[in-house]
Amino acid sequence: MASLLACRRALAAVAVLFFAVAARADDDDRSRSNNWFSAWTIPIGHRMLTTLPPGNANFAAETAGKTVRMIVRPSIAGDAVRVKIENTQATTPVTFSGAFIGVVDNGAALVSGSNRRLTFGGEAALTLAAGAGAYSDPVRFKVDAFQRLAVSLDVASATEVSGHQLGLTTNYIAPGPLGASTSGAGFTPIPQNNGNYPFYWVAAIDVHSSKASGTVVTLGDSITDGRCSTRLPDGTIPADQYNRWTDVLAARLHALYGNRAPAVANEAIAGNRVVLPGGNGPAAVLRLDNDVLDRAGISAVIFYEGTNDITGGATTAQLIAGLQEVIDRVHAKGIPVIGATVVPRGRPAPLTGWTGAMEKVKLEINHWMHAAANFDAMIEWVTLLAGPIVIGSDGALSVSYWDAWNCSDYTHPNKDGYQAMGGFIDLDLFKPRPRD
């Protein structure tokens, strides 16, 4: 019986963790309910404004009277889709006169004949009040795993955008209501905001599948959102690379289990915190229901957050309380929670941003995860990524990244580091159960 790779841990302890995950998953058949699975997601965590300077992470293009075309990539195959649109971060309503989904050909162009209209309660138009979201009606639509699809929204009126900053995907905008068109003519890339490549409004693609075995939801911060995952040595940040550890995990699951593999739904926000205010986007404890527990077919949660609470001044007790709240609320739904240790953050002098006091909290949190937390399993990324001990600007010692996997900021892995993280997870933890 296998479990997550867990260096320097007793085999008996690992086996116990695996049995805990398997037993909890067997208690709840939600992953088969209605055969719907959240195959692609992105948390709508930001209010994006046209009045901000171009390049600001929350800058948005003018969208009223235009069409936005968002490029999504479901992680499982199926025969029907439904799309969730959210206006959850706005203070004003937005109206869409039409919405469509089609298969991407090249750039903003779609495969001829693939574009299908979406409806909402039978209506083509959709108005979302501030703070609201809505699912489209299901539509028959053949989906292949990792096939790039385009969700096109004809924006009738909008003064702001509910979006996601770090999309790392080239999305498009065009004047006029062009959502029904498969042509890419008139479309130009949405402003990339200094290598962030944001998403507007589209929050989830659910896929109907008679074969998929569940949805693994990843709740996290910038390391799960993919900061530095596409960055090149010269500092340029290309889009459309799909190199997050979640992308690596999804590809490995599909390669091993085929159409029985679970979907992977990424619900990470760069800069996010577990509990302290002041982070990027709503804290994990505030967005847990909408971004995680409401995901279709949810069968497991991988929860990796905490480093931004530590840099924000959280005490060990505060962070443990927040982590435990998330664990308890997920467990209350009968869903296993897989934790991950806080990775190295040491920064050699004269760099600042990490102190001996922060290192102490990190060590105490990781010790709590091993000694007292009731995670159903653990991913030992701190062991995988640990490099040299460095002397910080305050003179304190801290563990830093292994040089070959450091994205030069001593905060995020580089491309190879993300590949290693995604490859570190034992896929037996998500082995599909036999169908009745």
Side-chain angles (χ1 to χ4, degrees), residues 188-206:
T188 57
I190 281 174
Q192 60 163 286
N193 296 350
N194 286 328
N196 282 286
Y197 303 94
F199 274 85
Y200 295 174
W201 289 299
V202 178
I205 309 296
D206 288 357

Side-chain angles (χ1 to χ4, degrees), residues 49-389:
L49 303 172
T50 62
T51 54
L52 292 172
N56 185 289
N58 281 326
F59 171 76
E62 293 278 0
T63 57
K66 299 182 180 180
T67 297
V68 296
R69 182 160 282 178
M70 302 287 110
I71 309 302
V72 302
R73 187 172 175 262
S75 51
I76 60 170
D79 56 19
V81 297
R82 61 189 184 193
V83 179
K84 190 178 187 188
I85 310 298
E86 288 190 8
N87 196 36
T88 44
Q89 301 304 315
T91 61
T92 56
V94 59
T95 296
F96 306 103
S97 58
F100 303 82
I101 188 168
V103 178
V104 173
D105 184 7
N106 184 46
L110 309 182
V111 173
S112 178
S114 70
N115 210 19
R116 299 289 304 278
R117 179 180 289 276
L118 299 171
T119 58
F120 302 84
E123 300 294 329
L126 172 68
T127 296
L128 292 175
Y135 266 106
S136 73
D137 302 320
V139 59
R140 298 287 297 179
F141 193 97
K142 183 181 181 297
V143 179
D144 294 328
F146 310 113
Q147 182 179 42
R148 280 161 54 91
L149 308 178
V151 177
S152 303
L153 302 175
D154 293 333
V155 186
S157 63
T159 58
E160 54 190 327
V161 170
S162 284
H164 182 91
Q165 290 175 348
L166 188 61
L168 295 176
T169 302
T170 306
N171 294 307
Y172 299 91
I173 191 167
L178 299 181
S181 173
T182 59
S183 172
F187 283 92
T188 57
I190 281 174
Q192 60 163 286
N193 296 350
N194 286 328
N196 282 286
Y197 303 94
F199 274 85
Y200 295 174
W201 289 299
V202 178
I205 309 296
D206 288 357
V207 169
H208 183 270
S209 169
S210 61
K211 296 179 180 180
S213 56
T215 299
V216 178
V217 182
T218 63
L219 174 60
D221 51 33
S222 58
I223 291 179
T224 304
D225 210 5
R227 179 74 71 194
C228 271
S229 65
T230 71
R231 184 184 178 96
L232 299 178
D234 65 2
T236 59
I237 304 173
D240 312 315
Q241 302 299 298
Y242 304 105
N243 194 55
R244 302 170 183 88
W245 68 259
T246 55
D247 298 317
V248 177
L249 173 62
R252 292 179 63 224
L253 286 168
H254 181 75
L256 182 60
Y257 299 130
N259 287 340
R260 294 286 290 121
V264 176
N266 192 333
E267 292 289 352
I269 298 176
N272 201 226
R273 294 177 179 175
V274 177
V275 66
L276 281 192
N280 200 16
V285 294
L286 299 178
R287 65 188 184 93
L288 184 65
D289 287 342
N290 184 70
D291 290 353
V292 178
L293 298 179
D294 287 350
R295 295 282 71 85
I298 182 171
S299 53
V301 174
I302 300 177
F303 180 29
Y304 171 63
E305 286 207 43
T307 185
N308 294 315
D309 292 79
I310 295 173
T311 57
T315 65
T316 301
Q318 286 175 316
L319 184 49
I320 286 175
L323 293 167
Q324 190 62 59
E325 179 182 339
V326 171
I327 295 168
D328 290 345
R329 287 166 60 189
V330 175
H331 278 169
K333 298 293 185 179
I335 302 163
V337 188
I338 300 160
T341 42
V342 181
V343 302
R345 284 291 303 268
R347 312 187 84 204
L351 297 176
T352 59
W354 189 258
T355 66
M358 294 173 185
E359 181 76 2
K360 180 175 181 291
V361 174
K362 185 203 79 172
L363 292 173
E364 290 171 347
I365 292 298
N366 285 347
H367 175 73
W368 170 80
M369 288 182 179
H370 293 120
N374 58 332
F375 285 115
D376 298 281
M378 287 294 301
I379 305 174
E380 299 293 350
W381 279 330
V382 69
T383 302
L384 174 71
L385 298 172
I389 295 174

